[in-house]
Amino acid sequence: MPQQVSVPDEEAGPEYKGSPRVVPDPDVEAARIAAVRRYDILDTPPDGAFDRVASLAARLFDVPVATVTIVDTDRIWFKAAHGLHDMAELGRDPGLCGSAVLRDEALVIPDTLLDDVAQSNPLVTGPMGVRFYAAAPIVTTDGHRLGTVNILDTKPRSITEDDAATLADLAAIVMDEMELRLAALAMVRHEQERRAAESWHAEIEHERAEAERRAREQAEKDKAAIAAFASTLQRTLLPPALPVVPGLELACHYRTASVHDVGGDFYDVFPLDGGRWAFFLGDVCGKGAEAAAVTSLTRYTLRAAAQIDPDPRTVLGALNNALLADVSAGSRFCTAIFGLLTPDDTGGFHVAVATGGHPPAYHLRPDETGQVEVVAVRPKGGMLIGALPEAQFAQVTFHMAPGEGLLLYTDGLTEARTSDGAMLGEEGLTAFLRRRTAPVSATTLVDDTVVLLESLPDGAGDDVALLALSVPRCETVPDQAVSATAHTSAAPEPTGQER
């Protein structure tokens, strides 16, 4: 069933005459309003998570105004607004957001004065004089559009398809935050109901033994609930699986030090234009919900910044600025490695890697004797990310040919203790890697490193993230098909491997 009806401008010529009017289907609109009520978001106090999205949108697109809005029955309510002061809501008709929320795709109006609907909007006719508007709908998992993420400028302009995709990603981040908020509200209500039920039973039963039994059982349930919540939140901060990259094998591993804490380690691999790919791995200072919020900001900032300019040092610089500008991040900082892969005609990849305060990666390449040469990828310099405004980041480039690989890790690996109580350290890790023999495989490299961790007396005392990349030799990969492997585990008992 169509969710809206587009009424084209019969007067439109070859020049832009305005976007078509969109008439909402009454049944679909009623279901959409019900979804808005379900999330209980209207007229709530300011929230740092949504304010960060508005600020990030303004920085990414270099516009003076960016907003996150929820579209009610007769009004447009601003959940977050960057650069827009003393305005909490607008009437829905005529409305820019009111039109954008009825569309499945992003709405872009290069010049509002040429748009039949937009030209009468108060933001266009008022003192602000908005001349450019673009918005992406905030869509629930069951397809209801709650509102929009918007960018506005006082002069006409245009955006690319990649920009529109980035705007859609920001809208998806807003939706993720709303889902987490809804889940948190449900947990609070459930907890209140549970405690009321316990109190009622205690008053009726008046038996200490029964009360103690219930308390013990509830403690176990709470412990399991905390672990489940931490696990669910952790999964939202990591890619569910690594992508399939032509000519490359990928493998990863993530192990949290405790099932009751959300770790701050992160990694990702994602495509860019021109057949290029980006990858990153890093570690946010601290643990728990605050570290998780910074981890989420870090991951999405790296992805968004790379779409604009994939130069590794530029990307880390954008992350540094984002962390310093985010008041809610406080004194949180992180270390990270960001890399850019460009395929070449030899079947290998040109690799550019920048680092910000992170331990070195290791480039493994077989020599003529069948042994593996281990080269530390350690750009000179590279400061902590989010600590200083003038932070500088170092970069190095190299070639990764067929039969070679690259291992990235967080410091939970090198800080693990050996049987004599000393840390494994970079020297111990280097020695372990040198004992390997060709061929180099991302999957076996990660698997063997996990076995190394499990062989240590106390395992890893901190979170450990591993990301490995390798370029298979042609004769070892039938039909040039390269698989991606992703596996995770959590202390104290590993959950195994997911492929």
Side-chain angles (χ1 to χ4, degrees):
M1 176 180 294
Q3 297 191 352
Q4 65 273 327
V5 178
S6 296
V7 181
D9 184 352
E10 299 294 338
E11 304 283 329
E15 292 82 13
Y16 179 85
K17 287 293 187 92
S19 58
R21 291 185 294 111
V22 181
V23 181
D25 180 280
D27 293 337
V28 173
E29 177 64 7
R32 190 192 70 79
I33 292 298
V36 171
R37 301 289 184 268
R38 182 173 78 236
Y39 284 87
D40 196 18
I41 191 71
L42 289 169
D43 301 313
T44 54
D47 188 306
F50 299 96
D51 292 339
R52 287 195 298 272
V53 171
S55 298
L56 181 58
R59 292 196 301 271
L60 287 175
F61 295 96
D62 193 23
V63 294
V65 178
T67 63
V68 176
T69 63
I70 304 297
V71 179
D72 202 354
T73 53
D74 57 356
R75 60 173 176 156
I76 309 297
W77 180 73
F78 294 88
K79 177 58 182 172
H82 176 91
L84 190 63
H85 306 291
D86 301 326
M87 184 176 294
E89 61 182 52
L90 288 172
R92 184 169 173 178
D93 290 317
L96 297 168
C97 303
S99 299
V101 80
L102 300 176
R103 301 172 180 270
D104 292 324
E105 69 284 348
L107 171 63
V108 180
I109 302 177
D111 191 338
T112 57
L113 297 183
L114 301 180
D115 188 280
D116 294 337
V117 176
Q119 63 186 356
S120 61
N121 186 273
L123 294 177
V124 177
T125 60
M128 179 173 289
V130 171
R131 293 290 303 277
F132 164 79
Y133 173 82
I138 302 167
V139 186
T140 67
T141 55
D142 51 353
H144 298 296
R145 297 177 292 277
L146 306 180
T148 54
V149 173
N150 318 273
I151 53 174
L152 304 87
D153 205 343
T154 55
K155 57 182 180 297
R157 59 184 290 181
S158 60
I159 62 175
T160 65
E161 291 184 2
D162 287 343
D163 291 335
T166 298
L167 194 59
D169 285 342
L170 293 175
I173 295 174
V174 170
M175 191 66 250
D176 289 343
E177 292 291 343
M178 291 182 66
E179 291 288 359
L180 287 173
R181 180 182 179 277
L182 184 62
L185 289 174
M187 290 183 67
V188 169
R189 291 166 183 162
H190 174 74
E191 181 68 8
Q192 292 172 341
E193 293 171 358
R194 179 187 66 78
R195 294 191 179 194
E198 281 187 354
S199 176
W200 182 77
H201 283 295
E203 291 175 0
I204 292 179
E205 306 243 350
H206 294 292
E207 295 181 8
R208 171 180 284 184
E210 184 65 16
E212 290 178 350
R213 183 187 65 82
R214 288 198 304 270
R216 286 194 301 270
E217 290 179 354
Q218 191 59 55
E220 290 300 321
K221 291 180 181 178
D222 289 344
K223 185 177 180 180
I226 292 172
F229 180 78
S231 176
T232 300
L233 181 56
Q234 189 74 70
R235 286 196 298 270
T236 67
L237 303 177
L238 298 170
L242 295 179
V244 175
V245 180
L248 197 68
E249 181 179 339
L250 303 174
C252 62
H253 173 83
Y254 189 86
R255 178 184 176 88
T256 56
S258 169
V259 295
H260 300 106
D261 275 330
V262 180
D265 294 2
F266 57 90
Y267 58 83
D268 206 349
V269 180
F270 56 96
L272 299 172
D273 58 0
R276 297 178 297 177
W277 291 79
F279 63 91
F280 59 77
L281 178 141
D283 185 3
V284 168
C285 171
K287 298 182 184 297
E290 292 183 1
V294 178
T295 300
S296 178
L297 170 65
T298 296
R299 184 178 174 219
Y300 284 112
T301 299
L302 289 172
R303 273 181 160 263
Q307 300 296 334
I308 298 173
D309 185 347
D311 175 73
R313 277 177 296 193
T314 301
V315 172
L316 293 186
L319 175 59
N320 190 65
N321 293 335
L323 291 180
L324 290 171
D326 194 305
V327 177
S328 64
S331 59
R332 299 277 182 178
F333 55 84
C334 73
T335 67
I337 289 181
F338 184 93
L340 178 64
L341 295 166
T342 304
D344 61 24
D345 295 337
T346 68
F349 290 83
H350 293 291
V351 186
V353 171
T355 182
H358 201 80
Y362 286 99
H363 181 194
L364 286 76
R365 49 191 191 192
D367 60 22
E368 296 179 355
T369 67
Q371 300 299 311
V372 175
E373 179 184 5
V374 179
V375 180
V377 180
R378 192 196 307 267
K380 294 182 179 179
M383 303 170 66
L384 287 175
I385 305 171
L388 296 172
E390 66 274 12
Q392 299 294 317
F393 305 106
Q395 181 168 319
V396 66
T397 60
F398 59 93
H399 184 260
M400 192 161 63
E404 299 181 6
L406 183 68
L407 174 66
L408 293 81
Y409 58 92
T410 54
D411 57 11
L413 173 61
T414 50
E415 291 177 358
R417 299 284 175 173
T418 61
S419 57
D420 59 2
M423 288 195 303
L424 177 65
E426 294 178 14
E427 292 183 359
L429 178 58
T430 302
F432 162 74
L433 295 174
R434 284 176 176 163
R435 289 196 296 269
R436 300 178 53 81
T437 57
V440 174
S441 162
T443 301
T444 57
L445 182 58
V446 166
D447 288 343
D448 291 348
T449 305
V450 172
V451 171
L452 169 66
L453 272 174
E454 294 175 346
S455 70
L456 301 178
D458 300 321
D462 196 2
D463 305 331
V464 175
L466 305 174
L467 177 63
L469 308 83
S470 64
V471 183
R473 296 184 185 278
C474 296
E475 63 271 16
T476 64
V477 184
D479 300 326
Q480 301 299 307
V482 179
S483 63
T485 302
H487 54 107
T488 62
S489 62
E493 293 296 333
T495 60
Q497 179 169 301
E498 299 169 3
R499 298 207 174 184

